[in-house]
Each structure stands twice: as C-alpha cells, then as structure tokens.
Amino acid sequence: MVNDLVLKLCLSACVVDSRKPPIEDIDWGLEEQVIVLIAQDINKTRSQLEKLGVPMQQPVNTSEPEKIYAADPLGNILLFSSQVAFPGLLHESSSNNSREGSPKLLSDEEYKKRKESGEQHPPPRKIAILTSGGDAPGMNACVRAVVRYGISKGCAMYAVYEGYQGLVDGGDQIRLMDWKSVRGWMRVGGTSIGTARCKPFQTSEGRLKAAENLIKKGIDSIIVCGGDGSLTGADVFRSEWPSHVENLKKNDRITTEQAEQHKHLTIVGLVGSIDNDMSSTDITIGAVTSLHRICEAVDSINTTAMSHSRAFVVEVMGRHCGWLALMAGIATGADFVFIPERPPGEEDWRPRLCDVAQRHRQMGKRKTIIIVAEGALDTSLKPIKSEEIKDILTERLGIDTRVTTLGHVQRGGSPCASDRILATIQSVEAVRAVLTSRPDTPSPLIISRNNHITSTSLMKAVELTHEVAKAIGEKNFARAMELRDPQFAEEFDAFTASTILDDFSENFVLPEHQRIRVGILHIGAPSGGMNAATRTAVRYAHNRGHHPVLIYNGFSGLVRGTIEDATWIGVDGWTSHGGSELGTNRDVPGINVDMGMVAYQIQKNKIQGLMIVGGFEAFSSLVELEKARQHYPSLCIPVCHLPATISNNVPGTDYSLGTDTSLNAIVTACDAIGQSARSSRRRVFVVEVQGGKSGYLAVEGGIACSANTVYIPEEGISLSRLQSDVKHLLALYFDDDPDMSEGRIILRTEDVSETYTTDVISNILKDEGHQLFDSRTAILGHIQQGDTPSPLDRIRATRSAIKCIEFMELHSSEALDKAYLSKQGTPIELTQCEDSVAVVGIWGADVKCNSVKSLLPVTDMKNRKPRSAWWFEHRPLVDLLAGRGLFTPEAQQLIAEQRNAGDEDERS
C-alpha cells in the first residue's frame, strides 16, 4: 500500500476495555489517542482503504498536509498523513512557498549540482525598505524582519536611509543590507535608518531623480513604513513611475534595457504611527508602545497627585485621533478624557467637568486625573486646551491643579512586546506581498484585522483616514467614531459606563426588579489584569443598579463565607494593581471543594450571578458547576468565566488577561540577559519560561526577543532536534567575527520535556559547542506574572468585565421579569439554559460569549489547553529569522553568487 511507514503508537491501557466504536458524525481529528501512519502516496492509501470498505474522514482544510482518518475494527482511529506532524527544522510548508511564488535558496545537494554544471544564478529580486514620517517604536523591528525574510527568499535587500530624502539623494543613502546589518535592531526604538522631511520629493523633478537612483540600483520594489502622508507619497510615486521611466530613457539617463527591466514599480505599505490613526486596521506599529509610555507617566503622577490631593491635566499626542487619550483613560482609571472624535455632549462642557470631579471627590477620591488629546475639540470645534481645564478646576473647585505635557517621550524607548511581534509578522507579510504583486493590482497596505494579518488597498485606507478629519470638521462625530477601529466606540462607551460622569438616566439604570447580587471571585495563578477586571465589574454593576459582592480566596473562601460588599470607591486605583487583591488558589468546586457548601453559600448570600476570573482552573470550575445544576437549584444562575492566565491556554478566547503583561516581563528579562550574553561574546542562554503545556509564551516571546529557537510542548524535544540546533549554532559562531561574536537566546517552555530539562539542554550545548561557545541557564519563574499590568491587559479587562455583567443581565432578566409580573418573590433558579454558563473571551476585535458545552469538544482537558492554537502559525518565523539553514558554507556561497549577479547587473 505504501513504500515506507513510520509507526507511532499512542496507547492508554485504561481506555482499551471501554473503547467504543467511533461516531462518524464527530470529527475524528479531535480524538486524544490516534495511531499515526506516514504514507508517501496518500492517494494510493485512500484507494486501498476504499477497496477494504474502511470508514474514513478527510479534513476540509486543504492548507494542511494531506490527511486521512480511518477506523480499524477495534475502534482505534488511524491517521494517514503525507507529512510528519512537526517538520523538523520548521521550514515553511511547500504550500506557503508555492502560494508566494518566491525564489528559495537551493539545498546543499542542488547547489553542488549547479556548481558542477557551471550554471549561473539569475540576478535576485531587489527590494528596498524605507521609513518615513514621524518615528514609531517597532520600525527597526520592521526593517529587521523585511531584510532577513527577504534574504531567506533569495532577494537582495536594500535600506533607504533618511526616508524619501535618501531616495532623492541616492548614492550611499541606498545601501545593500546583509543578515548581520540588522543584528540587535529588534530592541532599539525609533528607526536606525532614519526619517526626514523631504520637500524635493514633493516635486516631480525630485521624484524623477528618485526613480533614476532606484533604477540604477536595479530596485523595482519598495516597502514603506510610515503614516498616511508617507504612504500617499509612495502611491503617487508608483502612479507616475511609467512616465518617469520614459522621461529618463528619452534623456539618456538610463538605457533602453534598464527601462525595459523596470517598467513597473511595486509599493507595499506598513503603518508606523503612534496615534493609531489609520482606518481599516485595528492597530498600527508603535501605538501600543506609546501607550506604555503614557501609562507609565500617569501611574507615576497618580502617587504624587494622591499625596497632595491634587488634580493633574495630562496632555497626550493625537492631533486628529483620540486613541491614545481614550486608551490611557481606560488603562489608568482617569476621571475624564477629551478626544477629537467625541466632544463632551454639552456645548458648555465646563459645568459637567466640575460636577464629575466634585462628585468623585465627595466619594472619597484624593486625586483627579484628566487626559486630553492635543487635538481635543468641543461641539463647536473650538480647541479644548490643558491650561483652560487647569484654570477651571482651580477657580471653580479650588483644586490645586497642574499640567503635564508628555510630548516626545511618547515616541521614545524600546518597543513593547506587542509592537515587536506586530512589526515582525506584518513585515514578513509585506515581503510576501511584494513577491506576489502584479502591475495591475492596487498598492497593498498590510493591516491587522480581527487578530489576523491581511492586506487592503493602500489608497482606500488613506482616503478613509482623511474622512475622519472631514467628518469632525462637519461635526459628524458619529461618522468619525465609525471610521476608527471596530472596538473604538465600544471602548469609549466602556470608559463612560465604568466611570461616574453624571447622574445616569433611567434608561441606563435597570428597573429595581432586574437588579441582582453579583459575586466576583478569582481562581488559579495570579495574572495581570485581574484587579482591573474586578474594578470595572464593580463600578459598572453599581452604575447599572446591581449589588456586587467580593468573594475572597476563591471557592475555598466562598465556602467559608469570606464575602463583603463591593463599594465604588473601594476598588479605586485597582486598574494598575498587579496580582489578585481578592486572593486566589487552585481549588475547584466538586473536586477540591465540596459542591454542596458552594451551593449553600450562594443561596445564603443570595448571589444571583457569578463572575469567575482565572485560568484553566476557572474553566474546570465552570464545567463542574454546570454538571451540578441538576442537583442544586441555587447553581441555576448565570455563571461566566473571564479568562486570566499568562499561559493563554483557556478555550474560547484569543487572549487571556495577563498574557501581554507576561510577554513584556519576558522581553524585559531577555533584553537584559541578551546584553549579558553579548558582553560575554560567545554565550548561549537557555531561558525557561512558564506556560505549562502551552507554548504561547515561548513562541510569541521568541519572536519579540529575537530568540535563536524555542522548545514548546506542541513539538516536544528529541535528540535529533538538539543535534540540529547545535549544528546551527556552530554555523552561526563560525560565521561570526571572532572579536564581535554575538550572544544568543533559546526559550524553553517549562513542561516541554521531563528528560531534556533546561540544565540538560544547556549542558548538551556547552559540550557540543567544543569551546566555540558557552552556555548558561536562566529560569524566569514568577516574575513572568508581572508587577504592574500592561495597558493592553487593563483595556482587555475593562471590555471583558462589562461584557460579563451584560451576560448576567441577559440570562437573569427573563425569570426576574416573569416573577415581577406575576407578583411572586425573587426565584432561586434564574436560568437552566446551557448558554448561561459560558466563557467571555476576546475573539478578534470582539468580546464574545461561548457556552462551556460548546467549548468542551475543542478542549484538551488532559493537557489543559485548546486543541488548536491560532498563534502556532507564527512558530516557523522564530527559526527563519534566526537564519536557520542560511549559514552553511553552501548557503553562504549561494548568497554570495546572488549578490555578485546583482552587482554585475547593476554595473551593466
């Protein structure tokens, strides 16, 4: 049937006797135990199985290797696959390569054959990268990824220094880059290739000169990282390109052959902007790092404001976009924000500002924080200035008020983890877009939408961005909000609803009979954002008329009755608190805690809705509570789980609270470790990160830290894998300048292997390095749980917590309305609907509720994680951008031949 088979037996003795025949209506790919058979000819295998009449299933996803699931007579599931589960050195799949249609480096064998035959390598595709406009953290990560990914695809990569000015000046401003040119750039803020205003490029003659410089270098593709102005200039340049080529040929400034070879210019855009002001994309490169700088400043201001009972007016950037101001307001718990897209509702906003500030003071707040975007307006389009706000608070309320204008500190510093990852993945996609572009297609803009990297028309996105300013100018503020990213309006409403701005209308406060007692508890390991979620839930519940109660020390605390009422002022300042103010443990009801006592305390304390904040233990609790409903009527209430764990291993969400905080802790630690490794020159650090059976932190952290490779549970570790990694490290160190050799980092997930521990791997590397390099270990441990939660975790916590309260309202209102209309007492049982026990998670740009029953089939309960992970597709980039396979003598010789061919082409 097949020529070669690799047999892998995954057997569990405890289930053999109870094994039932598989149900054909269920996806067999979700089975925990399968027998994997690797078949070289999958079609012959399929044909033979059909002849035998064996029940079969075939995955619908054609992007995966060909697979066939079959059932044997004993009820075991057999998986026939044309490829191994994890392809060794993690090269990109052939399907990706064929999709890109891009040149690849030859294998060593192919190279030797070509060398023996005397065949010449064709000139490589030449691509340039430039950064323009205002600098943004993450631009260097863009340049690094573009250069390295382009080289891995066999392209000659150039960097244009000083933005468009470099295009006009030409010469040494357009430089050929090699792999080492961008070493260490990931952690550097700003742009190392420079950016500058360029008036000559705004003229036709300047663009003609730029075209001449590019053609003489043989470059016909440019990746531009900048704002809407920079991207517009690039698209104008592309539209004029044919006329520039004709003009240059006509005046003998280029040859006919050069004109023929460079008839078309390819432009691909990347948005580098701290304002997050580009329409059509959820986030821009640099925006989150800028938000980090603002939150760090405001968190520091909070302590001095509280000490002196002062008010601070903090002005942030955002001439036409209020994203930074709004997100900073949410993340720091500000009292008021002013943004261009949504001015205060009243024409005279001053009395409202004073009412809010005074009410907060009366409730016990010792500080007042107002955040103002530099382009903030009122409904008459009059600017709202920081100094005016200061005067109002000082003169009308007698509050000692200071103004802090953050200025360019918002652009500075090393990029955060999110921006490093975003810049890297988008830049890889930009190179792919260049290699698949056609002259007749519009210039693409690489964007992030619903947690996926995709592309859209560059000029369409620019036009929509310009529409925002136009809508504001026409006082069409609803349209301006609509043109921002999908969650912008939702986040504005979340800020408003969780902050007392005014006496709420009757439409906002629920009728008295619909108000419920909401219990909030934490379970599992602490993670950043738990307290921010609790704060928002308490305040939003109060503003809706509910009665929130805090349950201390998880379910074990619940059965002991450690419960207290939550007050609005009692959770003030919790947004920036790390860990868990309520206390947490891993006790799961029905397993570690008596379910009867849980039900008793819920009924005794009249809890009518339960919000559980935590990791996989919280999901397990949800499963047990749903099972126990048939025995305990008091458990028939809405129960929701807000995922919070650094491992990001909860089903039903793309991100759990704490993951971003943890990634930033890993990045900070690895930057420091990397500095030590570089100082020691020839040293490799094996860094152990948390994550349990999930490799999320290692993969995403590996991208953000420029790791040499990562070891994750989804792949495991083998001796052959370690041998391959040693060979790669040896090749890198042989290629390094002996006096300038680099330190390197490898990330290992804590539970990847019981045999190949962090120490064992380090010792193997040290011994096999033959004194060419040394090895050390670093176990990051609980510092990964973070100190202060990151801005992203605070914002995600706020959105998710409001959704939790809305979820409980939705699933309790019907029973409460029925009891009210029939003039009966408040029922104990509020709902028995399966959907009323759910995970409230972030899916793309939305916050969605998924019932626990719908999530169980896609959950690996044994390994405590979902059966599939969206982030796993990022795994190959770690090794690819570390130069896997590019530093063998044959590969280096081939790269040299490509470069020589390009140089000859340029000289001709």
Side-chain angles (χ1 to χ4, degrees), residues 200-210 240 243-244 247:
F201 192 77
Q202 297 173 13
T203 66
S204 179
E205 181 56 38
R207 293 192 290 273
L208 181 68
K209 181 62 177 173
E240 296 176 348
S243 63
H244 289 320
N247 193 338

Side-chain angles (χ1 to χ4, degrees), residues 406-684:
L406 297 183
H408 284 75
V409 70
Q410 297 163 83
R411 292 192 182 275
S414 181
C416 67
S418 174
D419 275 326
R420 297 185 190 197
I421 296 165
L422 178 70
T424 298
I425 298 171
Q426 284 196 350
S427 298
V428 167
E429 192 61 34
V431 176
R432 290 173 177 164
V434 167
L435 297 175
T436 57
S437 65
R438 299 194 308 270
D440 58 340
T441 56
S443 298
L445 179 69
I446 308 303
I447 60 171
S448 176
R449 185 179 290 163
N450 293 323
N451 200 32
H452 292 287
I453 303 302
T454 183
S455 64
T456 188
S457 167
L458 187 153
M459 285 313 298
K460 184 177 180 181
V462 170
E463 288 167 8
L464 288 173
T465 301
H466 291 167
E467 268 194 51
V468 177
K470 181 181 177 184
I472 292 173
E474 295 172 350
K475 300 183 182 180
N476 189 353
F477 301 114
R479 174 62 177 161
M481 293 289 285
E482 182 183 300
L483 288 167
R484 291 298 180 207
D485 60 79
Q487 61 266 39
F488 189 79
E490 179 189 335
E491 284 160 343
F492 183 87
D493 292 339
F495 173 79
T496 305
S498 60
T499 306
I500 296 181
L501 297 178
D502 209 337
D503 292 324
F504 287 103
S505 66
E506 293 181 0
N507 293 330
F508 191 81
V509 178
L510 292 176
E512 188 171 349
H513 73 275
Q514 289 185 353
R515 302 173 192 176
I516 60 176
R517 284 175 63 86
V518 177
I520 304 169
L521 65 79
H522 299 173
I523 183 173
S527 63
M530 280 183 156
N531 296 318
T534 304
R535 169 195 174 274
T536 298
V538 167
R539 290 194 169 182
Y540 184 68
H542 272 297
N543 291 346
R544 294 284 281 171
H546 300 304
H547 188 157
V549 296
L550 302 178
I551 302 169
Y552 289 87
N553 303 315
F555 282 99
S556 56
L558 173 62
V559 300
R560 293 195 301 269
T562 52
I563 301 170
E564 73 173 20
D565 292 339
T567 63
W568 192 92
I569 195 64
V571 293
D572 188 48
W574 281 26
T575 301
S576 60
H577 290 192
S580 168
E581 292 289 338
L582 300 185
T584 182
N585 54 55
R586 298 181 183 273
D587 292 343
V588 175
I591 298 176
N592 311 106
V593 178
D594 183 70
M595 186 66 77
M597 286 301 297
V598 170
Y600 167 74
Q601 288 290 355
I602 286 176
Q603 184 170 345
K604 176 185 176 183
N605 290 279
K606 299 179 180 179
I607 294 174
Q608 298 164 295
L610 188 62
M611 172 177 155
I612 307 171
V613 185
F616 205 86
E617 290 82 5
F619 183 78
S620 299
S621 300
L622 222 60
V623 174
E624 297 301 321
L625 289 167
E626 201 275 337
K627 287 180 186 176
R629 274 182 160 188
Q630 58 183 318
H631 304 295
Y632 302 102
S634 62
L635 299 182
C636 296
I637 59 175
V639 183
C640 60
H641 169 202
L642 198 166
T645 168
I646 67 172
S647 301
N648 205 30
N649 63 336
V650 175
T653 187
D654 289 344
Y655 297 101
S656 298
L657 300 186
T659 54
D660 188 68
T661 301
S662 183
L663 282 174
N664 281 288
I666 291 170
V667 164
T668 301
C670 286
D671 282 354
I673 292 168
Q675 179 175 289
S676 172
R678 287 190 302 277
S679 301
S680 303
R681 299 303 187 195
R682 296 175 174 270
R683 178 163 290 172
V684 178

